Amino acid sequence: MRIGALFSLAVFIGLFFFLDWSVIQNMLPILETIDFSEMGQKLYWLINIGLPMLMFGSFVFIGRSSFITATLGSVFITLLITKVVFLLGLLFGEFIELVTHGFQYLIFQKSNGDLTANPDLFKSQLAASIAAVPFFAFLFGITKGKYNYTLHQHEVFFPDLPEAFDGFTITQISDVHSGGFHNRQEVAKGIQLINDQQSDLFVFTGDLVNNQATEIEPWIDLFKTIKAPYGQFSILGNHDYGDYVAWPSTEAKNQNMQRLFSNHQKIGFRLLLDEQIIIEKDGAKIALMGVENWGIGFGKRGNLNKALSGLPQNMFKILLSHDPSHWDHEVKNNQNKIHLTFSGHTHGMQMGVELFGWKWSPSKFRYKKWAGLYEENNRYLYVNRGFGFLGFAGRVGIWPEVTKITLRKKK
């Protein structure tokens, strides 16, 4: 097993060196035009060898959840994607050369034959131009995008919504992951966006921290300013249980859990653990339920039946459940109808494209429902894109989200 692991590591390192070698060899035509070939190669290798070493050292001596480790990792991901796109750009250049050669370079002969004079330079310049797009996009995502809080608003119509709740508003955030925060001013802007909605109800759908309860404590004074007339409610996400760190004892892990419960209270969040509360307005009632984390591959702690216990079939119900896979497996076809479910968890993978109502992210390959509003059989699921960030310390195209849902009586 150990030999196999070492062999896999050697292959992995070899592939990375081959990738870097291929990139620098194909960058030489550009470097030579600015008389920077020798120095450019030295600088390139210094960065691409030094960065993984710094990242590994930070991981070992500072910790994987530290701001420095996350930043170094994010720079590494940015450069890796840029290099891969650069090589794909070279392939595109080869295709252009092949096509134009087939037409005997008629296109480029009319512009003084630049391509025929130095096709390698043309391909390198083309590839570098293409690779610049993800490089600067990820650079923006690391510096600004992770705090580019965006409001998503939806009206959702239900024929059986009590009349008194027509126009009732709910603001949701999810996946705070407070262990990654470092800019107090920017986080405060996100909190202000939440409060600006002046919604009737506020809900938080899990992952307050990355691993440890102490991560939220420097931010409690900001989050405790979140207020709603009908209350602030929360649930747990998979990261809240501390399963991803090595605790010295079971007792230490349990103490961390109790500290997290206490921090929810200090913020002013009423934590729902497989339970329900009744919201009453003008004599009408709806149920708000919250379950512990239930997700495919992330633990199935939540007990939906316990949360539903005693609720009438015809009562309007809202559920908080961190992982959207729970909706497909236990919620949407439950015989006791749950009208609206709020989830998070996916982060939209913190990268993707959302333009003119169309959205795409690599997250779609893991989750059928990864961002936004979904409906089946007049039962709705809303998947929040997340308020914070984890792993990659940035966001590209999939911005941190504040959600506002307005309940409407379908006439």
Side-chain angles (χ1 to χ4, degrees):
M1 178 66 72
R2 188 173 181 181
I3 294 176
L6 289 174
F7 177 76
S8 299
L9 179 62
V11 171
F12 183 75
I13 293 173
L15 288 173
F16 266 90
F17 270 99
F18 177 75
L19 174 64
D20 283 322
W21 179 84
S22 299
V23 170
I24 191 61
Q25 290 302 307
N26 287 283
M27 280 292 293
L28 287 177
I30 296 177
L31 297 176
E32 288 169 352
T33 63
I34 57 175
D35 196 25
F36 195 60
S37 178
E38 184 176 350
M39 181 61 71
Q41 290 188 71
K42 291 180 180 178
L43 184 61
Y44 179 88
W45 286 112
L46 177 64
I47 293 172
N48 287 281
I49 293 177
L51 180 61
M53 293 176 65
L54 286 172
M55 189 169 62
F56 178 77
S58 179
F59 181 88
V60 173
F61 296 107
I62 302 178
R64 68 178 180 180
S65 298
S66 73
F67 169 68
I68 294 175
T69 303
T71 301
L72 290 172
S74 300
V75 173
F76 177 80
I77 292 171
T78 298
L79 294 179
L80 174 62
I81 291 176
T82 301
K83 287 182 280 190
V84 170
V85 173
F86 176 82
L87 293 180
L88 292 174
L90 285 173
L91 291 176
F92 182 60
E94 292 283 359
F95 172 76
I96 290 179
E97 184 183 13
L98 178 64
V99 172
T100 54
H101 181 73
F103 288 96
Q104 300 190 2
Y105 298 110
L106 288 177
I107 298 173
F108 292 94
Q109 281 179 350
K110 293 180 181 179
S111 58
N112 300 319
D114 289 339
L115 178 60
T116 56
N118 194 341
D120 289 337
L121 176 60
F122 166 78
K123 286 181 285 187
S124 295
Q125 290 173 331
L126 176 64
S129 299
I130 295 172
V133 175
F135 176 78
F136 286 107
F138 274 74
L139 187 63
F140 175 82
I142 294 171
T143 56
K144 298 292 184 181
K146 60 188 174 186
Y147 294 124
N148 184 28
Y149 299 106
T150 303
L151 177 67
H152 291 259
Q153 301 186 74
H154 298 271
E155 288 187 321
V156 188
F157 293 81
F158 302 92
D160 48 353
L161 178 71
E163 194 73 41
F165 284 90
D166 185 27
F168 191 84
T169 53
I170 304 169
T171 289
Q172 176 206 15
I173 64 170
S174 191
D175 300 87
V176 165
H177 289 288
S178 53
F181 289 155
H182 64 276
N183 190 320
R184 190 172 186 84
Q185 184 177 4
E186 294 296 334
V187 175
K189 290 179 182 178
I191 301 295
Q192 186 60 52
L193 181 60
I194 294 168
N195 285 325
D196 286 346
Q197 305 318 305
Q198 299 183 336
S199 290
D200 296 304
L201 181 71
F202 172 83
V203 297
F204 168 66
T205 47
D207 279 359
L208 190 63
V209 298
N210 294 348
N211 295 295
Q212 301 184 40
T214 54
E215 294 167 1
I216 187 61
E217 291 172 4
W219 309 95
I220 286 177
D221 61 325
L222 286 180
F223 281 88
K224 72 187 296 184
T225 65
I226 298 173
K227 300 296 180 184
Y230 287 83
Q232 306 84 234
F233 297 89
S234 62
I235 57 171
L236 299 175
N238 55 300
H239 279 266
D240 291 320
Y241 296 94
D243 289 341
Y244 306 122
V245 292
W247 298 95
S249 65
T250 301
E251 181 183 2
K253 185 177 182 182
N254 291 337
Q255 289 175 350
N256 177 75
M257 201 75 246
Q258 293 304 313
R259 188 165 184 166
L260 184 70
F261 294 162
S262 175
N263 287 339
H264 275 259
Q265 290 181 331
K266 290 176 181 177
I267 293 171
F269 290 176
R270 165 74 161 84
L271 187 61
L272 299 176
L273 302 171
D274 297 338
E275 55 190 309
Q276 60 190 246
I277 62 104
I278 304 300
I279 299 174
E280 185 171 352
K281 183 183 180 188
D282 299 334
K285 297 179 181 180
I286 64 174
L288 175 67
M289 305 172 294
V291 293
E292 295 200 50
N293 185 66
W294 193 108
I296 302 298
F298 291 94
K300 299 179 180 179
R301 289 181 168 92
N303 187 333
L304 182 59
N305 289 332
K306 182 179 177 183
L308 282 165
S309 179
L311 293 178
Q313 292 273 353
N314 63 349
M315 190 173 200
F316 190 91
K317 306 175 194 71
I318 298 172
L319 173 68
L320 310 182
S321 179
H322 178 69
D323 193 315
S325 65
H326 188 210
W327 193 76
D328 277 318
H329 286 81
E330 287 198 350
V331 179
K332 70 179 183 182
N333 294 319
N334 196 289
Q335 62 180 0
N336 197 339
K337 183 179 180 180
I338 299 168
H339 299 72
L340 175 61
T341 300
F342 288 96
S343 294
H345 181 63
T346 71
H347 302 203
M349 204 168 278
Q350 296 171 210
M351 60 186 72
V353 178
E354 293 196 72
L355 291 171
F356 312 113
W358 178 79
K359 62 179 185 283
W360 181 91
S361 164
S363 187
K364 68 175 294 182
F365 299 116
R366 174 66 174 84
Y367 295 96
K368 293 180 180 179
K369 300 168 180 64
W370 57 272
L373 186 66
Y374 301 88
E375 184 268 336
E376 290 185 31
N377 193 29
N378 205 35
R379 303 182 188 201
Y380 290 85
L381 167 70
Y382 193 87
V383 184
N384 183 280
R385 294 159 179 82
F387 189 83
F389 45 88
L390 181 70
F392 172 60
R395 283 180 175 265
V396 181
I398 306 294
W399 311 121
E401 175 178 2
V402 174
T403 307
K404 184 176 183 180
I405 297 290
T406 302
L407 305 181
R408 289 295 184 190
K409 175 77 172 179
K410 190 173 183 179
K411 306 300 182 182

